[in-house]
Amino acid sequence: DASLTSCFSADQNIKRESGRKVQTGNISAAKMLLDPMGGIVMTNDGNAILREIQVQHPAAKSMIEISRTQDEEVGDGTTSVIILAGEMLSVAEQFLEQQMHPTIIISAYRQALEDMLETLKEISTPVDTADRSMMLKIVHSAINTKALSRWSELACSIALDAVKTVELDDNGRKEIDIKKYAKVEKTDIEISKEEDFARILQMEEEYIQQICEDIIRLKPDLLFTEKGISDLAQHYLMKANITAIRRVRKTDNNRIARACGARIVSRTDELREEDIGTGAGLFEVKKIGDEYFTFVTECKDPKACTILLRGASKEILAEVERNLQDAMQVCRNVLLDPLLLLGGGAVEMAVSKRLMERSRALTGIEQWPYRAVAQALEVIPRTLIQNCGASTIRVLTSLRAKHTQDNSVCWGVDGETGTLCDMSVLGIWEPLAVKAQTYKTAVETAILLLRIDDIVSGHKKKDKDGQMGGQGAE
């Protein structure tokens, strides 16, 4: 420890905290993210607000960064990770105060996570992805509390159709996108005489003419390129009755190629007949508002698509785009892993009950943190009740009592009224992949922060001139 501290310069302000104080501070920082005044409840998209807020405490920073990986993995559940991880740290505080070693708590948490994931699979329900009405219900569950819910029927159909369009089944393995390789070629040129410049211009014209002849030879109707098109090239192409669209983004080019069955080629002399996409039926340019849009439609078997959003303001469009992304992520998760769980906190109560039952078979002090995980899971239905303004104690007690009865795993909290109801009747579903990833990320975040018991921080002092002091300062 002494050698670690001595590696800092004497001109730096050193602040070091160790032991129980660090662990308590980490838990307190995690709790701060749950404060209703902190901003998380001010938006329907937790990941969006987490991209904007800034925190100074290292534990809170870690929670935010790890929770954002949830969105990258499955596209949903970011806020649930923050809430659940914070609660798991909160219930661990009592064991730290009782001088229980963090490794014992961590061991119990890991065992609980295994049992949680096992229980999720047991209570999950398989879904027929070909059942459009059921798939639309699942998507609706993801956006019914968001800004897009006003156009829920249209949005759900768009999201489902878009994901179905880009779905690619390759020998039983589903893929979303195909990346193209990019070829890079370099050349240089040296001019020593004035005559060379005229010759270079002539060579350029000959080169452009050759490129256009390579293209015209295959008799296409439409040409897309990521680069520019010179006036001379446009002249040759127009004479051949070929429409050319220039400076297309690479991502758009890839989608166009998938939609019409074409292949992107880097060199015109490598063009073959099979590289030409013949799947597109109609090409047209439309003016919408003040902008022109190019449409490639009536494709035979498109594996790419474009969703065009129109709105009154940039803010509304940005929110609708986020909501639509969530809806498409839900479709994608269900198509890749067609298993569903009931929402509204029903799953958390069922898993909590199962953990409490299994904890009775445990011996030793690990049973207490194991049971604490079961207690922490109740934070999800409790938060739903609080957001509705209902009586937390009364409704949560009723929900616990309901789950002690047989065949009651489907009962949860109505997110609008705060009352108990059958989630299967209400039609609130969520993918198993999202819930499993939420539990994994939340538990691993709590474990990561429980491991930390020593923080060393410091910064360089400023000298009289306002410059940074210490070795190496200029």
Side-chain angles (χ1 to χ4, degrees), residues 10 33-34 65 110 162 168 186 221 247 276 295 313 318 424:
L33 294 175
L34 304 179
E65 290 300 322
R110 290 197 185 281
L168 187 63
K186 296 180 181 180
D221 298 310
R247 296 190 177 93
I276 304 299
F295 290 83
S313 66
S424 60

Side-chain angles (χ1 to χ4, degrees), residues 211-353:
I211 288 177
C212 292
E213 288 177 356
D214 291 338
I215 296 171
I216 295 170
R217 173 173 48 86
L218 297 175
K219 300 179 181 179
D221 298 310
L222 187 59
L223 170 69
F224 290 93
T225 178
E226 298 170 25
K227 307 298 182 182
I229 301 177
S230 69
D231 293 339
L232 183 61
Q234 291 181 50
H235 168 72
Y236 288 129
L237 294 173
M238 187 176 65
K239 284 180 64 178
N241 199 28
I242 297 174
T243 301
I245 307 296
R246 61 183 177 182
R247 296 190 177 93
V248 178
R249 284 197 297 262
K250 184 177 182 64
T251 52
D252 292 338
N253 221 16
N254 286 333
R255 290 190 297 115
I256 293 168
R258 288 191 66 177
C260 64
R263 176 176 172 268
I264 299 175
V265 179
S266 301
R267 298 171 59 98
T268 57
D269 56 1
E270 296 175 353
L271 276 170
R272 298 171 299 172
E273 190 72 34
E274 52 266 33
D275 296 331
I276 304 299
T278 57
L282 178 65
F283 165 78
E284 55 185 338
V285 178
K286 293 182 181 179
K287 185 178 182 181
I288 301 178
D290 296 328
E291 297 185 48
Y292 287 92
F293 291 85
T294 300
F295 290 83
V296 179
T297 57
E298 299 180 13
C299 300
K300 293 179 182 178
D301 185 24
K303 291 301 177 184
C305 65
T306 300
I307 300 171
L308 183 60
L309 301 176
R310 298 178 65 185
S313 66
K314 292 188 295 184
E315 291 75 18
I316 292 176
L317 283 175
E319 182 66 16
V320 169
E321 181 185 6
R322 285 192 291 266
N323 297 166
L324 196 58
Q325 287 289 348
D326 290 344
M328 288 191 291
Q329 284 285 0
V330 169
C331 292
R332 173 184 174 275
N333 291 330
V334 175
L335 288 173
L336 293 177
D337 189 7
L339 291 171
L340 298 179
L341 294 167
L342 291 163
V347 168
E348 281 72 24
M349 296 303 296
V351 174
S352 176
K353 178 190 173 186

Side-chain angles (χ1 to χ4, degrees), residues 14-285:
I14 302 297
K15 181 181 179 182
R16 180 170 186 172
E17 297 176 347
S18 304
R20 195 72 65 221
K21 184 178 180 181
V22 170
Q23 294 164 339
T24 305
N26 288 344
I27 293 172
S28 299
K31 288 179 182 178
M32 285 192 295
L33 294 175
L34 304 179
D35 185 354
M37 299 301 293
I40 287 182
V41 296
M42 299 298 291
T43 178
N44 283 326
D45 193 326
N47 188 54
I49 194 64
L50 289 178
R51 287 197 299 265
E52 302 298 330
I53 64 174
Q54 295 182 352
V55 294
Q56 298 299 322
H57 197 284
K61 280 185 177 180
S62 298
M63 282 192 67
I64 290 175
E65 290 300 322
I66 296 173
S67 65
R68 285 180 59 189
T69 63
Q70 170 81 8
D71 192 77
E72 296 172 4
E73 291 287 339
V74 292
D76 201 3
T78 306
T79 308
S80 297
V81 169
I82 289 285
I83 294 173
L84 194 52
E87 187 68 13
M88 288 188 176
L89 285 168
S90 182
V91 296
E93 188 173 12
Q94 58 178 318
F95 305 117
L96 295 174
E97 291 174 352
Q98 296 167 6
Q99 305 303 314
M100 184 182 293
H101 199 276
T103 56
I104 298 175
I105 303 173
I106 289 170
S107 176
Y109 275 24
R110 290 197 185 281
Q111 181 60 49
L113 176 60
E114 292 181 11
D115 294 341
M116 288 158 65
L117 297 177
E118 181 183 334
T119 303
L120 288 180
K121 291 182 180 179
E122 291 177 4
I123 64 177
S124 62
T125 303
V127 60
D128 181 9
T129 55
D131 185 350
R132 184 175 179 84
S133 62
M134 185 61 187
M135 291 294 292
L136 290 175
K137 286 182 181 179
I138 298 167
V139 182
H140 176 73
S141 299
I143 64 173
N144 64 351
T145 59
K146 299 180 184 291
L148 197 57
S149 61
R150 180 178 175 183
W151 307 278
S152 178
E153 185 176 345
L154 175 62
C156 292
S157 297
I158 290 174
L160 182 57
D161 291 340
V163 175
K164 285 281 190 178
T165 299
V166 301
E167 180 186 2
L168 187 63
D169 198 336
D170 185 12
N171 296 325
R173 188 169 66 92
K174 293 181 180 178
E175 294 182 356
I176 302 300
D177 198 6
I178 298 175
K179 291 186 177 180
K180 301 293 183 180
Y181 291 100
K183 182 186 286 186
V184 179
E185 294 183 350
K186 296 180 181 180
T187 183
D188 56 10
I189 187 169
E190 181 179 341
I191 298 177
S192 56
K193 294 184 294 182
E194 184 178 346
E195 293 80 6
D196 291 341
F197 187 73
R199 175 57 185 156
I200 289 170
L201 290 177
Q202 183 183 354
M203 290 173 60
E204 181 184 8
E205 291 180 2
E206 293 172 355
Y207 178 67
I208 291 173
Q209 184 177 5
Q210 182 60 49
I211 288 177
C212 292
E213 288 177 356
D214 291 338
I215 296 171
I216 295 170
R217 173 173 48 86
L218 297 175
K219 300 179 181 179
D221 298 310
L222 187 59
L223 170 69
F224 290 93
T225 178
E226 298 170 25
K227 307 298 182 182
I229 301 177
S230 69
D231 293 339
L232 183 61
Q234 291 181 50
H235 168 72
Y236 288 129
L237 294 173
M238 187 176 65
K239 284 180 64 178
N241 199 28
I242 297 174
T243 301
I245 307 296
R246 61 183 177 182
R247 296 190 177 93
V248 178
R249 284 197 297 262
K250 184 177 182 64
T251 52
D252 292 338
N253 221 16
N254 286 333
R255 290 190 297 115
I256 293 168
R258 288 191 66 177
C260 64
R263 176 176 172 268
I264 299 175
V265 179
S266 301
R267 298 171 59 98
T268 57
D269 56 1
E270 296 175 353
L271 276 170
R272 298 171 299 172
E273 190 72 34
E274 52 266 33
D275 296 331
I276 304 299
T278 57
L282 178 65
F283 165 78
E284 55 185 338
V285 178

